[in-house]
C-alpha cells in the first residue's frame, strides 16, 4: 500500500499538469480553453482499475489550454508553473488528438506520456496518461475560457 500511495502522489503530480486538456483550443482558434475532468480512473499494474478524484493524486479538476504557447496550465497554479507542452496534434474522424509528455517532479520517477481525444462536435474529452506501472483514464468536457 505504501508503494501504491507513493506511486499515486508521484504520478499525480505529472498527471495534474495535463488532465483535462486542450482539444477545443485548436478547434476554437487562439482563444484559451478551460477544461474540466468529470471522471478519473487509476489502473495499477497487477491490480484493478478504480475511480478516484483528481485531488487524490495531486491533480486539479480544471485546466486552461493556451494555444499560443501550446501549453496546458492549471489556472490555480502559480504563474511560474510551466505546465505541459503539446508536442503532437492531429484531427481524425471529427476528433482532435493531442499528445505530449510530462517529466513530473524532478526528484521523483513520475513522468508520464499522455493523449487527449476531443469529439469536436460534442466537446467531450477523453484523457489517457501512462507512467511506471500506472495508467489513468479521464473523461470530461471543454469550453472556451471566460
Amino acid at each position: 500500500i505504501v508503494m501504491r500511495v507513493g506511486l499515486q502522489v508521484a504520478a499525480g503530480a505529472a498527471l495534474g499538469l495535463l488532465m483535462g486538456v486542450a482539444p477545443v483550443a485548436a478547434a476554437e482558434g487562439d482563444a484559451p480553453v478551460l477544461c474540466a475532468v468529470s471522471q478519473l480512473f487509476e489502473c495499477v499494474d497487477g491490480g484493478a482499475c478504480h475511480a478516484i478524484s483528481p485531488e487524490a493524486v495531486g491533480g486539479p479538476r480544471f485546466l486552461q489550454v493556451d494555444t499560443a504557447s501550446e501549453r496546458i496550465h492549471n489556472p490555480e497554479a502559480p504563474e511560474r508553473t510551466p505546465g505541459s507542452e503539446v508536442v503532437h496534434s492531429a484531427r481524425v474522424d471529427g476528433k482532435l488528438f493531442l499528445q505530449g509528455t510530462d517529466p513530473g517532479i524532478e526528484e521523483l520517477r513520475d513522468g508520464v506520456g499522455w493523449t487527449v481525444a476531443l469529439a469536436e462536435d460534442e466537446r467531450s474529452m477523453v484523457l489517457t496518461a501512462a507512467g511506471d506501472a500506472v495508467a489513468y483514464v479521464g473523461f470530461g468536457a471543454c469550453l472556451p475560457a471566460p
Side-chain angles (χ1 to χ4, degrees):
I1 291 180
V2 172
M3 181 178 167
R4 185 172 176 275
V5 170
L7 186 59
Q8 282 182 328
V9 171
L15 179 66
L17 294 175
L18 57 95
M19 278 190 306
V21 119
V24 177
E28 297 287 337
D30 288 334
V33 176
L34 185 64
C35 299
V37 176
S38 58
Q39 293 183 303
L40 182 64
F41 299 89
E42 177 186 58
C43 304
V44 178
D45 187 21
C49 298
H50 64 279
I52 59 171
S53 70
E55 295 86 1
V57 291
R61 287 200 178 269
F62 299 96
L63 286 168
Q64 186 166 333
V65 179
D66 182 351
T67 56
S69 67
E70 296 182 339
R71 289 193 144 337
I72 299 164
H73 303 273
N74 175 352
E76 299 177 327
E79 288 183 26
R80 65 183 178 278
T81 305
S84 188
E85 180 182 10
V86 176
V87 296
H88 178 73
S89 64
R91 282 191 166 81
V92 178
D93 294 333
K95 295 176 289 292
L96 177 62
F97 292 90
L98 302 169
Q99 295 179 316
T101 60
D102 195 287
I105 298 171
E106 188 174 325
E107 303 82 33
L108 300 174
R109 186 176 168 165
D110 64 340
V112 296
W114 54 268
T115 299
V116 171
L118 175 76
E120 294 178 298
D121 56 344
E122 298 174 18
R123 295 190 180 173
S124 62
M125 182 259 318
V126 176
L127 160 75
T128 58
D132 275 344
V134 66
Y136 296 92
V137 177
F139 299 93
C142 300
L143 293 171

